[in-house]
Amino acid sequence: MMLTVTLNAALDLTYRVPALVPHTTHRVTEVIERPGGKGVNVARVLAALGHEVTVTGFAGGDTGRILRERLADEPRVTVAFAPVAGTTRRTLAVADAATGDTTQLNEPGPAVTSAEWAAFLGSYEELVRRPGTTAVALCGSLPPGVPVGAYALLVRAARAAHVPVLLDTSGEPLRRAVAARPDIIKPNAEELAELTGSHEPARATRDARRRGAHSVVASLGADGLLALTPDGGWQARPPAPVRGNPTGAGDSAVAGLLSGLAEGLPWPDRLARALALSAATVAAPAAGEFDRATYEDLLPRVTVTGRPAAA
C-alpha cells in the first residue's frame, strides 16, 4: 500500500470553451468536477496502474465533503483525510479548444490551526508506520497555518519508519525538507533553479543532491526528465510533443516514479514510465487521469540516455 499526502487538497473544476477571449462572455461547452490537489492526482493514477493507495491531508467544509465522497468511489483508494474547520479550496481550469491551452485559477487553502496540524501529524505517523506501507509521496503547497518546515517533519517520520519518501513541492518548504534527506525530489526546472540558484539543470541536480536529496528527478518540459541518483544519471525524452491540458502532468510523473520504486524497476524504466504517464495526462480531459492508449503508445518510444554509476 502506498500513501499520498495532500495538505492543500482541492476540488478541481475544468471549464471547456471554444476560445478564451479576455473581456468577453463565454459559453462553457463542458464542465468536469473531480477531487484534486497534487497528491490526490498521484493517488488516482497509482490506482489506475493497479496499486492500493491511501490518501491523506486536510479536508473541510462542503467542498471537503464532496472531495471525500468522490474519492470514496474510486477503486483501490482509501480515504484518510484529517478534518479542518475551514473549507477546502477549489481550482478552476479554463481549457481553450481553439489553442489547446489552459488557464488555471487556484484558490488559497483553508487556515489550519496548530491543534489541527498536531492531530494530522499523529495520524500521519500511524499511517506511515502501518505494516504494508511501501512508499510515501508528499505533494503540493502548504495551506495557511501549516509550519513552513512541515515537509521536513513528514520526511523524517517516513525515514524513521524505513519507508521511502518522494517529495514534490517548491520554495522554502522544499528548501527545508531537502535537508531531511528525502529519497526522491521531483522539482520542475524553475523550482530546481530556485532551490539551487543555478539555471543549468545538470549543475542544479548535483547541487540538490549535495543539499540532502538522495535522488533528483527534474521535469524539463519538452526536454523530458533529468535524473541524478546514487545509481547513475539519465535523461528521458518524449518521442514528440503532446498538446492538451498540462494540469496534473507532473503528478502523473510522480505516480510513475513511485510505482516504479515500489515495483523495484531500474531507473531507466521508472523514468520512461513517468514520462509516458505525464504526456498521456496532457492528452486526457482532466487532471488526475491519463489517456491509456496514448500511454501505451508512448511508453516503448520514450528515449532514455545516460549510464549507471561506476561500481
Side-chain angles (χ1 to χ4, degrees):
M1 188 277 297
M2 284 178 271
L3 177 66
T4 71
V5 176
T6 313
L7 297 178
N8 209 7
L11 188 65
D12 287 343
L13 301 173
T14 300
Y15 288 175
R16 298 194 178 281
V17 298
L20 181 61
V21 182
H23 315 300
T24 64
T25 299
H26 295 79
R27 184 175 297 278
V28 176
T29 59
E30 183 182 15
V31 179
I32 301 172
E33 180 183 87
R34 61 189 307 153
K38 293 180 74 64
V40 172
N41 293 336
V42 171
R44 189 181 292 110
V45 174
L46 286 170
L49 292 171
H51 293 278
E52 298 292 328
V53 57
T54 296
V55 293
T56 188
F58 294 110
D62 288 340
T63 309
R65 175 184 54 79
I66 296 170
L67 184 78
R68 289 191 188 94
E69 290 173 352
R70 295 286 181 86
L71 278 174
D73 294 333
E74 296 277 350
R76 292 182 289 275
V77 174
T78 300
V79 180
F81 281 109
V84 289
T87 299
T88 295
R89 68 190 179 121
R90 296 166 298 177
T91 68
L92 175 62
V94 183
D96 184 330
T99 65
D101 295 329
T102 300
T103 300
Q104 189 83 15
L105 303 172
N106 295 336
E107 295 180 355
V112 176
T113 67
S114 57
E116 289 167 341
W117 167 245
F120 167 79
L121 191 56
S123 65
Y124 167 81
E125 290 174 346
E126 290 180 4
L127 287 169
V128 82
R129 291 173 182 158
R130 187 168 59 183
T133 300
T134 56
V136 178
L138 308 174
C139 305
S141 60
L142 301 180
V146 172
V148 71
Y151 280 134
L153 291 174
L154 301 184
V155 169
R156 291 189 186 103
R159 291 186 58 77
H162 305 290
V163 175
V165 56
L166 185 155
L167 176 66
D168 183 15
T169 190
S170 61
E172 190 62 21
L174 173 60
R175 188 181 309 278
R176 297 202 184 192
V178 163
R181 301 187 64 78
D183 293 272
I184 305 172
I185 63 170
K186 196 217 68 65
N188 60 32
E190 181 180 345
E191 292 162 349
L192 186 62
E194 184 182 9
L195 173 66
T196 64
S198 174
H199 291 272
E200 201 287 303
R203 178 182 297 175
T205 53
R206 290 193 297 270
D207 184 71
R209 286 203 66 215
R210 284 194 294 267
R211 290 168 183 259
H214 286 273
S215 298
V216 180
V217 180
S219 298
L220 304 180
D223 290 329
L225 299 173
L226 178 66
L228 186 62
T229 82
D231 299 324
W234 294 270
Q235 183 161 3
R237 294 180 174 86
V242 177
R243 293 189 64 83
N245 181 2
T247 306
D251 307 330
S252 292
V254 169
L257 294 171
L258 204 67
S259 62
L261 172 65
E263 295 170 26
L265 296 181
W267 269 105
D269 292 343
R270 295 187 208 179
L271 294 170
R273 176 184 290 181
L275 186 55
L277 283 170
S278 179
T281 297
V282 174
E289 62 182 45
F290 62 95
D291 184 84
R292 190 169 291 274
T294 301
Y295 168 65
E296 293 175 352
D297 173 65
L298 289 176
L299 182 60
R301 299 194 293 125
V302 171
T303 301
V304 182
T305 56
R307 60 184 180 183

